Amino acid sequence: MENICKRCFLLESGRDDTLKSIKEHIDRLSEKEKASDEEYRRRLEVCGGCDFLSGGVCLKCGCYPEFRAAFAGQKCPYKKW
Ligand code: SF4
């Protein structure tokens, strides 16, 4: 059985293929679509302290926060950011 790391992002969970794919998608976003680097880091700091983060997945909505947080127009489903 896979060991799920609570409060871990994909980066820390060893899910390198998924993270690589996410980064490639983020790189293709236009500057208008993309959250600023500062905002991206701020959002992930919030997710990193959230009980819904588990193994790189948000248990509230099923998204990958490392992906969702990259979009300027996206919001946390729990209104934390
Ligand atoms: S997106 Fe919101 S609910 Fe999901 S892990 Fe991040 S802060 Fe928590």
Side-chain angles (χ1 to χ4, degrees), residues 9 43-54 56-66 68-69 75-81:
F9 290 107
R43 291 173 176 183
L44 292 186
E45 265 186 45
V46 174
C47 292
C50 178
D51 287 339
F52 290 113
L53 179 66
S54 183
V57 175
C58 170
L59 298 180
K60 189 71 178 169
C61 69
C63 77
Y64 296 113
E66 285 150 297
R68 185 186 195 102
K75 293 182 166 76
C76 161
Y78 209 56
K79 298 186 169 81
K80 291 187 169 191
W81 49 260

Side-chain angles (χ1 to χ4, degrees), residues 12-72:
E12 300 148 320
S13 299
R15 297 172 68 183
D16 297 342
D17 288 351
T18 305
L19 186 58
K20 183 172 177 271
S21 172
I22 284 174
K23 284 184 173 173
E24 287 169 359
H25 279 83
I26 291 172
D27 285 346
R28 285 196 288 269
L29 295 176
S30 69
E31 288 306 310
K32 191 176 173 186
E33 293 172 302
K34 213 183 284 188
S36 69
D37 290 347
E38 183 182 8
E39 178 62 9
Y40 185 66
R41 281 193 297 273
R42 186 191 74 79
R43 291 173 176 183
L44 292 186
E45 265 186 45
V46 174
C47 292
C50 178
D51 287 339
F52 290 113
L53 179 66
S54 183
V57 175
C58 170
L59 298 180
K60 189 71 178 169
C61 69
C63 77
Y64 296 113
E66 285 150 297
F67 189 47
R68 185 186 195 102
F71 289 81

